[in-house]
Amino acid sequence: MAIYVDFVQIKFKGHKWCHMLADSLQELHDFAAFIDVDARLFHRNASYPHYDITVQMREIAIAQGAIPADRKKIIECAKKLKVELNDQMEQSSHS
């Protein structure tokens, strides 16, 4: 299992932002909590589940073991996370 950060730098509200993903949602949430990323930065309803993190947070993530990833790896991860999130939502709707 691994955490990944992309190279995107989107300017918004005075900061530069990028994306953080992982091999699983649990690992993503655990790592986000570990490096103190606000849970409100998780985007479950975006085209793929991810955390928006500032470039400064990205450096902290990398220092704690996150892997800078190219677009191909980010897309691969994004697809897996979307399937996992959809499965979780489907299971919770049947509970």
Side-chain angles (χ1 to χ4, degrees):
M1 297 289 184
I3 304 293
Y4 305 98
V5 291
D6 66 12
F7 295 95
V8 174
Q9 292 191 14
I10 300 166
K11 292 181 182 179
F12 184 70
K13 293 191 176 184
H15 297 281
K16 290 181 182 177
W17 298 82
C18 59
H19 305 110
M20 184 170 72
L21 298 93
D23 288 330
S24 74
L25 288 170
Q26 187 63 53
E27 187 176 25
L28 179 60
H29 293 309
D30 289 349
F31 191 82
F34 175 69
I35 64 168
D36 205 27
V37 174
D38 190 318
R40 294 175 294 179
L41 295 176
F42 178 66
H43 294 273
R44 81 175 61 252
N45 296 321
S47 55
Y48 58 89
H50 68 277
Y51 278 89
D52 283 341
I53 59 172
T54 64
V55 172
Q56 293 81 7
M57 288 180 206
R58 180 183 186 276
E59 293 305 316
I60 292 167
I62 291 169
Q64 294 299 322
I67 301 165
D70 62 15
R71 181 173 165 76
K72 181 180 176 184
K73 185 63 180 178
I74 292 295
I75 290 170
E76 175 188 317
C77 247
K79 287 178 180 178
K80 284 195 294 187
L81 290 177
K82 187 163 190 149
V83 167
E84 184 181 349
L85 182 63
N86 288 340
D87 288 349
Q88 286 180 2
M89 290 170 54
E90 187 175 309
Q91 288 174 2
S92 67
S93 71
H94 295 298
S95 300

